[in-house]
Amino acid sequence: TEDQRLQLTINHFQATQNTDFTVDPSITAIAGRQRSQAIDGLDLDTPQTSNNTVVSLDYSHSNVLNGNLKGQIYYRDYLTRFFPFDGRASVSLGNSIFQSEIDSTEWGGRLQLDTPLTGEKNLRLLWGADYNNESTAQPVNIFDPVTFDSSGGLSYRNTGKRTWVPSLNQDSLGLFGQLNWRANDWLTLLGGIRHEQVGLSVDDFTTLGGNTVQGGDLSYDATLFNLGGVVDVTDNISLFASFAQVLRNAPVGFSLATLQPEAQRVNNYEIGVRGNWQNLRFSLAGFYNSSDLGTTFTAPGEILRAPERVYGVEATMDARVGESWQLGGTFSLSAGEIDRLNTGNYTPLDGFRIAPVKLTAYVQHQTTPGWQNRLQLLYSGDRDVFSNNTVFGQLPISSYVTLDYISRINVGPGKLEIGIANLLNTDYFPVVSQLQPNELSNAAARGRF
């Protein structure tokens, strides 16, 4: 009807990587830092796979209590199987060659009302509730090391299954309310509160390292607040600031003792300025996040929960030059620290948590009314802030620059996009490759394609 709308959405994605190639384990015997190499002849019956099905039903009504009502129920079925990993050097990984997969089902719903509290509708209350239930497990296939070694790392013979993350079920219920007040023509204030209750049930399991762990039930709750405001200095320039708290789930580790049944509460502070003119838009913001119970991986499968703080600046700019040209870019710089022993002595967070300085830039030309051409550049900077570069996540990062070309052409009701990635065929290693202590994962990025 005119006031009501109902929409059903179904998305399904499935991808399987069937390949005859794998990494050559012989490079680990060569002195010095080596790049990953590919060899032919892979024999693996359980290839990398990703399946994701999402179903959602959305309902809206524009005239409930003189405001807008929105509701949603959803269901998701997710499976991801990774490539095998040689973890024989790690006790926490069971000193085994294994292949893990994440199998998860999730369902839930949300109901919210946007209700005006004054006749002029300059004071509004957004309120409602949401619920989420998720069942997850991460089993692993274990492979015979003799077959693997004798084949030169090509053959994987499955000898059984173990558990990395046990079967668990988590449900959360959240109740929230937020006020939005348009105080006058130049000031908008907002503030809200959210209370969330979380329950977690874990089955008995045996870790990859062979330790038997008794399961059980955990629960925790938290009340979170947010506050913010926007000041319109002129018709084109706005100043904004906000404080918000975010609840993050307690992580699943290798024993219930590591599952501190307390949510990770993150305090987020942000302040910035925005400008918007006919031919120019920009933003500049600074942020500071802190948590007394942060979550950091200290090695594959090992979790540390300790006080941490993350801060940085971000900027964006887009400008139109004449009728045909547009240019712009982004800048981001962040840093972070962790108090590993909870003694007040903070040291830098690892490279998996903190990225190097990042700069992007583009120039775009409207060649014809239906044809756009674009060059875009990415600069990823250096990061070397650790005294011991052999620790997980603390390897030094070297900078690199890439350039891409993208052409978009209107074709009927849609667009045809043609591009060349890494246009200059730069030989570089992405940040995630450079951070890997295992040389088999130290893979160079793709060349021009």
Side-chain angles (χ1 to χ4, degrees), residues 40-62:
D40 192 8
L42 174 64
D43 180 14
L44 177 64
D45 293 332
T46 51
Q48 287 179 265
T49 300
S50 180
N51 297 329
N52 189 27
T53 301
V54 179
V55 180
S56 65
L57 182 65
D58 294 86
Y59 173 77
S60 64
H61 196 303
S62 61

Side-chain angles (χ1 to χ4, degrees), residues 66 157 264:
N66 200 30
R157 184 174 68 86
Q264 178 184 353

